[in-house]
Amino acid sequence: MSDQPGTWTPPEPPTPEKLRNKAHTILARIDEDREIVRLIGEGLSDEQIGERLGVDPKDCAYFRRQLAKGEEIRPVTPYELGLRRCVGQLSTEDMMNQLRTWPYTFGEHHIDVYDGGTWDEVERLDFGQFITREEYSELRAIAEQMPGWTP
């Protein structure tokens, strides 16, 4: 921030350590949710899962209801791929290969609601500085050729 009133300066970019910490926190929740689903599939009760993982059995019951409706819990997303690269669980080459061929969907505005698409997750990676400007530019050039793209 500037000392001059009315003058705005952008915040400092996040350090690699801050990015990794944020990515670890988000990925821990994703992995925990997937473990809950795996244990549901093994036939454990909500209480058993809660005890084993230290989670609220109500969360397990919620996932169980969603699965019964045919919902997919925590599918892999472009955002997750970027986070996994950030923490070293995925190479840049593997991340980019997957993102180059991702079947992107694009968000739509409906009166006063925005229904996001998977391209929004690449935008989120860019905004959060989890991908480089060069990576973003390459992916955007690909996305611009896809049906449904609107600038």
Side-chain angles (χ1 to χ4, degrees):
M1 293 296 240
S2 171
D3 291 334
Q4 297 295 328
T7 305
W8 181 84
T9 56
E12 291 292 317
T15 64
E17 181 182 13
K18 283 185 180 183
L19 288 173
R20 278 191 301 279
N21 288 343
K22 181 176 181 177
H24 274 296
T25 299
I26 295 167
L27 290 170
R29 182 59 198 244
I30 291 170
D31 293 340
E32 179 180 84
D33 291 352
R34 288 183 182 149
E35 182 63 6
I36 292 170
V37 170
R38 188 186 72 74
L39 294 173
I40 288 171
E42 287 187 3
L44 274 69
S45 72
D46 298 337
E47 291 72 23
Q48 289 170 318
I49 296 169
E51 188 175 306
R52 183 179 289 189
L53 300 180
V55 298
D56 189 334
K58 291 178 185 176
D59 292 339
C60 304
Y62 172 77
F63 286 159
R64 193 178 300 277
R65 287 191 305 274
Q66 295 306 106
L67 290 167
K69 293 179 190 177
E71 294 289 327
E72 187 177 6
I73 307 294
R74 294 289 193 175
V76 175
T77 65
Y79 188 67
E80 178 185 346
L81 296 176
L83 296 178
R84 293 210 182 272
R85 189 274 298 265
C86 179
V87 300
Q89 296 177 0
L90 190 64
S91 71
T92 296
E93 181 180 351
D94 287 341
M95 178 196 74
M96 288 301 290
N97 285 341
Q98 290 182 63
L99 293 179
R100 285 180 188 115
T101 59
W102 198 272
Y104 292 112
T105 57
F106 304 97
E108 297 179 7
H109 291 278
H110 304 280
I111 302 177
D112 61 349
V113 176
Y114 181 73
D115 185 17
T118 56
W119 177 252
D120 294 309
E121 298 204 8
V122 175
E123 296 278 352
R124 189 173 169 200
L125 286 171
D126 178 52
F127 182 76
Q129 299 181 21
F130 287 106
I131 60 175
T132 67
R133 293 303 302 161
E134 293 77 18
E135 291 164 343
Y136 174 80
S137 295
E138 178 184 344
L139 295 171
R140 182 178 168 127
I142 292 167
E144 286 175 348
Q145 304 305 311
M146 297 179 124
W149 172 265
T150 54

